[in-house]
Amino acid sequence: MARKAAGVKGLAGVLALRGGVPAVKHAAPAWPVTGELEVSWMEAVVRSGQWSWKGPHEMAFCDEFKGFIGSKYALCLANGTVTMQCALQAVGVEPGDEVIVPGLTWCATAQAALDIGADVVFVDIDPETLCLDPKATEKAITKRTKAIIPVHLYGCMCDMDALMALAKKHNLKVVEDVAHQHGSRWRHKGAGAIGDVGSFSFQQSKVLTCGEGGGITCNEEEYYNTIHCLKQVGWDTKGAPGNKYGHNYRITEMQAVLLRGGLRRLTDQTARREEAAVVIREGLAKLGGPLRAAKRDPRITRQAYYGMTLQYDSKKALGMPKQAYLNALAAEGCAMWSTYWPVYAAPLLNLYDKTSPVPFRDQKKIQDYKGLKLPNTEKAVNETAVILSHTHMLGSDAYLAELLGAVRKVNENLPEARKVWQEQQAAAKKK
């Protein structure tokens, strides 16, 4: 037994890729988080028979959510794609208008604009924050530009001062994509209440979730009324058939129950993630090596994290590519993501497939998506950007210490990690 124990201890410094003991011993925090309150409410909803059509839980959540964000109005919709679609329609985007979208975001941001007939113009990102670059945005504005979609991505916010100034200068609408930032604040103002309309996703992975679902926040009654009709099959806010076109984009009472429960935990969870971000930021800085936290803009007065945005420098890892480094971390039990694809190259959004609206547009009037190259976006995706999921940021201090221990272990064994990667490359070529 003594020899066995010594053997295990001896493997503690060996990379898990080589059969060593993984650095992370604790299990990752479970997600989503639920409580008995939702169970009680859910049973009551099931027994009530009122499962949709603006039930009491849906309306209560809208009141609670607008207070949380700091907006005058809030609505619940079926998902975070149709929220974007309805938001764009509400601010006046029509077929043939141009909408500026960052090259790095989830496909739905662009899809929503394309589906209502707008022409999406993809613009490059800030390499540090991965968010829409204001300078690149201004260069992309034309006479047909109608709206800008700032996407507050992963663990950073867009430069809303610069983007709002651009919108004012060029008379443009701003629809914030807040799918990753439930609770972030810019100069003490809630994300989703800065632009004309805020679009939220409540999908399974989000920090506020009901499995699927979406929300909209705004301060203009006109936008609120239009979005309400669009999602509520044309019925107006007073419960009567309106004079606007409408869809069925309703949410259910069961989803609203989960949202109300989640919102009660969100402030504390956000604070815990902010504390974890400090630990990780300082820990990575102390370790040195190829991985560091992205810089936080001092104008952000509260940062919600869908994931913590990190930066990878292959030059500090003996030239090892990002994915090879992430594979070494994952073997140690420290799972980190790369990013989404560039939207214009995403296999989930084949812009020229017959199911897409793009093949039916005048090709002379839309951006050349096939030939598009956005250097900051592509470098972030392929080389530099790394994301630590928000679920890990809810872990205990011991768990966070183990994550940092995994980074330290890989950093201390970079030559061996690089050798494993080279062996894998050679084996792949033989196949």
Side-chain angles (χ1 to χ4, degrees), residues 339-413:
T339 63
Y340 301 137
W341 306 280
V343 189
Y344 48 91
L348 294 181
L349 188 64
N350 182 347
L351 295 171
Y352 293 90
D353 187 80
K354 65 181 180 180
T355 59
S356 163
V358 171
F360 307 100
R361 306 287 177 85
D362 183 345
Q363 298 298 306
K364 295 179 181 178
K365 293 184 178 179
I366 64 173
Q367 194 176 30
D368 177 16
Y369 302 130
K370 284 183 177 178
L372 184 61
K373 296 292 181 183
L374 300 179
N376 291 344
T377 296
E378 290 169 29
K379 185 174 182 180
V381 171
N382 297 322
E383 300 177 29
T384 62
V386 173
I387 310 300
L388 177 67
S389 171
H390 72 88
T391 58
H392 297 292
M393 301 174 76
L394 293 178
S396 65
D397 290 346
Y399 179 73
L400 296 179
E402 288 182 347
L403 294 182
L404 289 169
V407 175
R408 182 181 65 249
K409 183 178 175 183
V410 173
N411 289 355
E412 290 175 350
N413 290 275

Side-chain angles (χ1 to χ4, degrees), residues 208-251:
L208 180 58
T209 178
C210 57
E212 291 291 347
I216 284 180
T217 53
C218 62
N219 292 313
E220 294 293 332
E221 186 176 11
E222 177 187 354
Y223 299 156
Y224 171 71
N225 289 336
T226 298
I227 294 165
H228 184 280
C229 285
L230 284 171
K231 81 110 174 185
Q232 195 76 8
V233 293
W235 289 66
D236 66 23
T237 56
K238 297 179 182 178
N243 60 356
K244 294 183 182 291
Y245 186 75
H247 303 276
N248 176 7
Y249 292 154
R250 292 189 294 265
I251 202 170

Side-chain angles (χ1 to χ4, degrees), residues 21-34:
V21 177
V24 179
K25 307 297 191 301
H26 289 79
W31 188 262
V33 179
T34 56

Side-chain angles (χ1 to χ4, degrees), residues 168-308:
K168 183 177 181 180
K169 177 181 177 181
H170 295 278
N171 193 29
L172 304 176
K173 300 300 183 181
V174 175
V175 175
E176 295 177 79
D177 185 332
V178 205
H180 287 188
Q181 304 277 323
H182 310 66
S184 286
R185 290 186 175 273
W186 180 269
R187 296 187 186 276
H188 302 286
K189 193 168 185 179
I194 304 169
D196 294 284
V197 182
S199 170
F200 295 81
S201 170
F202 302 135
Q203 178 264 346
Q204 175 85 13
S205 68
K206 302 303 189 293
V207 298
L208 180 58
T209 178
C210 57
E212 291 291 347
I216 284 180
T217 53
C218 62
N219 292 313
E220 294 293 332
E221 186 176 11
E222 177 187 354
Y223 299 156
Y224 171 71
N225 289 336
T226 298
I227 294 165
H228 184 280
C229 285
L230 284 171
K231 81 110 174 185
Q232 195 76 8
V233 293
W235 289 66
D236 66 23
T237 56
K238 297 179 182 178
N243 60 356
K244 294 183 182 291
Y245 186 75
H247 303 276
N248 176 7
Y249 292 154
R250 292 189 294 265
I251 202 170
T252 68
E253 274 291 272
M254 287 76 91
Q255 290 168 291
V257 162
L258 296 174
L259 291 173
R260 292 190 73 194
L263 188 59
R264 280 159 170 72
R265 289 182 288 270
L266 185 54
T267 297
D268 288 343
Q269 289 173 339
T270 301
R272 174 56 187 157
R273 292 186 183 109
E274 287 207 280
E275 291 170 356
V278 173
V279 171
I280 294 165
R281 182 185 305 277
E282 293 178 351
L284 291 176
K286 186 176 181 180
L287 289 175
L291 202 61
R292 66 171 177 84
K295 297 174 184 176
R296 174 166 169 164
D297 194 305
R299 293 169 291 184
I300 297 172
T301 46
R302 182 169 69 188
Q303 179 65 65
Y305 289 92
Y306 179 63
M308 188 171 178

Side-chain angles (χ1 to χ4, degrees), residues 129 131-132 134 150 152 157-165 186 297 299:
T129 66
C131 295
L132 193 62
H152 304 300
M157 289 187 71
C158 297
D159 184 343
M160 292 307 293
D161 289 353
L163 292 173
M164 292 303 293
W186 180 269
D297 194 305
R299 293 169 291 184

